[in-house]
């Protein structure tokens, strides 16, 4: 029960991060690796990584994991990555690995290399998905003939519509609306919410309001079907795709029509949650208040003790808090069905109030929370917002009010990040070094390294590698010394 309560008060993500980082213990006192690379030269950094990787490779069952192969592909070493992928004996896993390399190479701009690799994928489904991924990439690069040639090679009918829809979207993104609409016609017969949503984006961007209206009607029809409550292979719920942009424009007509339907409403509560979450970011206050009224209408149609009802109350409370309506937000929280989670909800409401800009009232409310864990969570949220707004001195001072040692260090990370972003690298590093837990301190130093000048970044990367190993900071190695990726690969495969 204690663990469950702790999770309720911290929130799942913060609870798990705290649990994970505390397991590695406190940071080492003293120099903490600061002298590992006095000169700050890239060749020394590469050598250090090679030595560390050689040590870590001893006894490894899978010496080159997929994320490392991806890093090779991103840094221009696609051939080496593919060579290692071909050593994977399980054919489906090999196909997935090669597909991942195609996607990484295409994202890095190596379209010729990615296309050459496609034909070596023996798993047919992975081969097809690789073609689908490359079609829009070639179109965005201005190579429509290549994109079309690949689109015609897609084997399976279930991939045809998404291929043409992605091609249409890519052309619309480049401003070629005439051809975008032509290719959208090829996908128009699809009954996939993902495809129809892409086509709606194309029609809207192209200013084809008749086509857009037709697509909206089809999505609404789809929402009444047997899959109305689910997702379509990563696509949005059909009604979410319709209602979010309409509500964003202040148009609640369709929402009202759905709520007025007799019997079981096709407005599944999860769709309303999507709408409320989107409105929290962008809607004007009058729309927010109108949505709260509609939420209450939907709550009246739900079982008051269902988890759907609590999801709606949570979304409404956070939306209201973002717009400064704290008392109303707290009323929604008080009506929820799990009293043991109330302090956690209070912390979330304080966080949204801070993100809405009222950091003074948010700080006052955070101090008033009686549960120490929820209070720490609320104060973390206020510190994060103060740091994001550049008020680093006030944010740093507020961390002293957090008694939990890990939470205090976690709250310092966004302060460190803002200092590093402003070029105050020395101060940022010094503040990071005050963080008590090792993993949290390393996370803060990683942020500083990613924002520092090259010489400081190399020094910090070497320090982090010496303290915690090379594998956690491959992203920095890609940025600072891409040749280090191959050095690590050599060590792992020796």
């Amino acid at each position: 029960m204690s663990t469950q309560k702790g999770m309720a008060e911290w929130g799942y993500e913060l609870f798990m991060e705290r649990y994970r980082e505390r397991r590695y213990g406190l940071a080492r006192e003293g120099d903490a690796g600061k002298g590992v690379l006095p000169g700050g030269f890239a060749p020394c950094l590469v050598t250090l990584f090679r030595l560390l990787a050689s040590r870590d490779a001893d006894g490894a069952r899978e010496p080159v994991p997929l994320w490392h192969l991806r890093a090779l592909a991103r840094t221009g070493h696609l051939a080496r990555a593919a060579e290692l992928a071909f050593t994977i004996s399980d054919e489906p896993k090999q196909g997935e690995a090669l597909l991942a390399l195609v996607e990484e190479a295409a994202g890095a701009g190596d379209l010729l290399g990615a296309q050459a690799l496609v034909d070596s994928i023996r798993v047919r489904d992975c081969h097809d998905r690789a073609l689908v991924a490359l079609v829009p990439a070639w179109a965005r690069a201005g190579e429509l003939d290549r994109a079309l040639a690949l689109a015609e090679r897609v084997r399976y009918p279930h991939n045809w519509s998404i291929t043409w829809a992605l091609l249409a979207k890519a052309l619309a993104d480049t401003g070629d609306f005439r051809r975008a609409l032509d290719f959208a016609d090829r996908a128009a017969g699809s009954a996939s919410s993902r495809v129809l949503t892409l086509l709606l984006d194309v029609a809207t961007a192209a200013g084809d309001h008749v086509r857009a209206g037709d697509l909206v009607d089809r999505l609404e029809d789809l929402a009444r079907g047997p899959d109305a409550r689910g997702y379509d292979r990563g696509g949005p719920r059909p009604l979410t795709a319709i209602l979010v942009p309409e509500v964003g424009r202040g148009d609640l007509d369709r929402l009202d029509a759905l709520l007025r339907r007799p019997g079981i409403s096709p407005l599944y509560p999860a769709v309303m949650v999507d709408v409320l979450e989107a409105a929290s970011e962008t809607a004007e206050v009058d729309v927010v208040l109108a949505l709260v009224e509609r939420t209450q209408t939907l709550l009246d149609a739900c079982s008051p003790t269902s988890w759907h009802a609590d999801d709606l109350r949570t979304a409404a409370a956070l939306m209201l808090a973002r717009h400064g309506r704290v008392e109303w937000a707290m009323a929604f929280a008080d009506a929820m069905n799990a009293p043991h989670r109330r302090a956690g909800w209070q912390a979330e409401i304080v966080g949204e109030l801070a993100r809405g800009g009222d950091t003074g009232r948010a700080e006052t409310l955070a101090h008033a929370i009686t549960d120490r864990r929820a209070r720490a969570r609320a104060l973390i949220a206020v510190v994060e917002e103060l740091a994001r707004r550049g008020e680093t001195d006030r944010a740093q001072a507020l961390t002293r009010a957090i008694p939990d040692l890990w939470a205090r260090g976690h709250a310092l990370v966004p302060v460190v990040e803002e200092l590093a972003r402003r070029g105050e690298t020395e101060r940022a590093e010094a503040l990071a070094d005050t963080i008590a837990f090792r993993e949290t301190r390393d996370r803060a130093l990683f942020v500083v390294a990613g924002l520092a000048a090259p010489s400081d970044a190399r020094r910090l990367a070497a320090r982090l590698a010496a303290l915690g190993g090379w594998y956690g900071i491959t992203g920095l190695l890609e940025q600072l010394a891409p040749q280090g990726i191959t050095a690590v690969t050599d060590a792992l495969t020796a």
Side-chain angles (χ1 to χ4, degrees):
M1 179 63 187
S2 175
T3 299
Q4 292 176 342
K5 182 174 175 58
M7 187 176 292
E9 309 306 332
W10 286 112
Y12 177 77
E13 292 183 4
L14 206 59
F15 178 90
M16 295 306 297
E17 191 162 30
R18 182 176 184 271
Y19 173 76
R20 183 178 64 252
E21 292 187 348
R22 280 167 54 91
R23 286 178 61 198
Y24 291 95
L26 298 173
R28 195 170 67 194
E29 296 297 328
D31 177 71
K34 292 181 181 179
V36 70
L37 192 64
F41 296 111
C44 297
L45 184 59
V46 172
T47 300
L48 173 64
F49 272 72
R50 180 185 290 113
L51 291 172
L52 290 170
S54 297
R55 180 195 67 189
D56 293 341
D58 293 341
R61 292 180 56 194
E62 187 182 8
V64 187
L66 178 58
W67 58 263
H68 187 73
L69 298 184
R70 286 179 176 270
L72 281 170
R74 283 194 300 271
T75 53
H77 305 290
L78 180 61
R80 185 72 189 279
E83 175 188 343
L84 292 168
F86 283 123
T87 66
I88 299 173
S89 58
D90 183 282
E91 192 169 78
K93 288 184 179 179
Q94 183 190 101
E96 293 290 343
L98 292 172
L99 169 61
L101 296 184
V102 168
E103 293 170 344
E104 291 291 352
D110 185 7
L111 296 179
L112 288 174
Q115 184 167 334
L117 187 56
V118 167
D119 291 330
S120 66
I121 301 177
R122 293 191 294 268
V123 179
R124 289 183 175 182
D125 177 62
C126 293
H127 180 271
D128 231 37
R129 288 156 58 199
L131 290 172
V132 173
L134 274 181
V135 167
W138 276 117
R140 287 192 173 89
E143 296 280 354
L144 183 56
D145 289 342
R146 286 183 182 272
L148 284 173
L150 290 178
E152 297 291 353
R153 289 174 53 193
V154 174
R155 175 191 297 265
Y156 294 114
H158 65 265
N159 287 327
W160 292 346
S161 292
I162 189 62
T163 302
W164 297 119
L166 288 169
L167 177 55
K169 181 68 166 63
L171 290 170
D173 289 343
T174 64
D176 189 350
F177 298 123
R178 181 184 61 80
R179 284 192 286 193
L181 291 173
D182 288 341
F183 290 117
D185 287 337
R186 301 197 188 190
S190 174
S192 157
S193 65
R194 182 186 176 197
V195 171
L196 294 178
T197 302
L198 283 168
L199 298 184
L200 177 57
D201 289 343
V202 172
T204 302
D208 190 336
H209 302 299
V210 173
R211 185 189 299 252
D214 176 65
L215 288 164
V216 166
D217 290 341
R218 291 178 60 194
L219 279 166
E220 186 174 345
D221 289 341
L222 191 61
R224 299 195 191 104
D227 297 326
R229 299 185 176 190
Y231 292 88
D232 176 24
R233 292 194 65 178
R237 296 179 181 92
L239 279 177
T240 296
I242 301 169
L243 291 173
V244 166
E246 288 185 349
V247 170
R249 298 192 298 269
D251 180 359
L252 305 182
D253 289 347
R254 190 184 307 272
L255 178 61
D256 287 340
L258 290 168
L259 290 172
R260 285 195 300 266
R261 291 186 187 279
I264 299 175
S265 170
L267 187 61
Y268 189 57
V271 174
M272 191 63 172
V273 170
D274 292 341
V275 171
L276 295 174
E277 290 175 348
S280 178
E281 298 284 342
T282 60
E284 298 294 332
V285 173
D286 58 336
V287 175
V288 166
L289 299 181
L291 285 174
V292 173
E293 294 179 4
R294 274 70 171 179
T295 301
Q296 190 59 58
T297 299
L298 193 55
L299 279 168
D300 292 342
C302 294
S303 167
T305 58
S306 73
W307 61 271
H308 293 310
D310 272 358
D311 284 349
L312 286 167
R313 293 184 184 108
T314 300
L318 297 181
M319 180 182 67
L320 286 164
R322 174 65 72 93
H323 290 269
R325 302 305 203 267
V326 176
E327 292 76 12
W328 203 353
M330 290 295 187
F332 271 104
D334 288 341
M336 292 179 191
N337 296 311
H340 70 281
R341 294 183 57 196
R342 191 158 293 150
W345 284 320
Q346 290 174 345
E348 286 194 64
I349 287 170
V350 168
E352 287 301 311
L353 180 63
R355 284 184 279 274
D358 194 345
T359 54
R361 190 155 58 130
E363 181 179 344
T364 300
L365 289 171
H367 286 300
I369 296 175
T370 56
D371 183 275
R372 60 183 176 79
R373 289 166 291 204
R375 182 169 63 251
R377 177 183 175 186
L379 289 170
I380 287 170
V382 179
V383 169
E384 288 175 344
E385 185 57 28
L386 288 171
R388 192 186 70 81
R389 292 171 179 267
E391 299 182 53
T392 51
D393 290 340
R394 183 180 162 200
Q396 184 176 345
L398 186 56
T399 63
R400 301 187 189 108
I402 303 175
D404 183 272
L405 196 58
W406 174 85
R408 191 186 312 154
H410 176 81
L412 283 172
V413 175
V415 184
V416 167
E417 180 176 4
E418 179 58 26
L419 291 171
R421 195 185 311 282
R422 297 196 315 223
E424 299 183 49
T425 304
E426 185 175 343
R427 183 182 168 194
E429 184 178 355
L431 186 59
D433 282 333
T434 68
I435 295 174
F437 283 91
R438 193 192 89 186
E439 287 291 296
T440 317
R441 180 185 294 188
D442 285 358
R443 179 156 54 88
L445 291 172
F446 183 96
V447 168
V448 179
L451 295 168
S455 59
D456 281 328
R458 287 194 291 269
R459 176 178 56 79
L460 286 165
R463 181 182 169 192
L464 286 164
L467 290 171
W470 61 271
Y471 43 85
I473 53 175
T474 304
L476 284 177
L477 191 59
E478 292 180 47
Q479 172 186 329
L480 301 170
Q483 66 271 34
I485 297 292
T486 55
V488 167
T489 307
D490 291 340
L492 291 175
T493 57

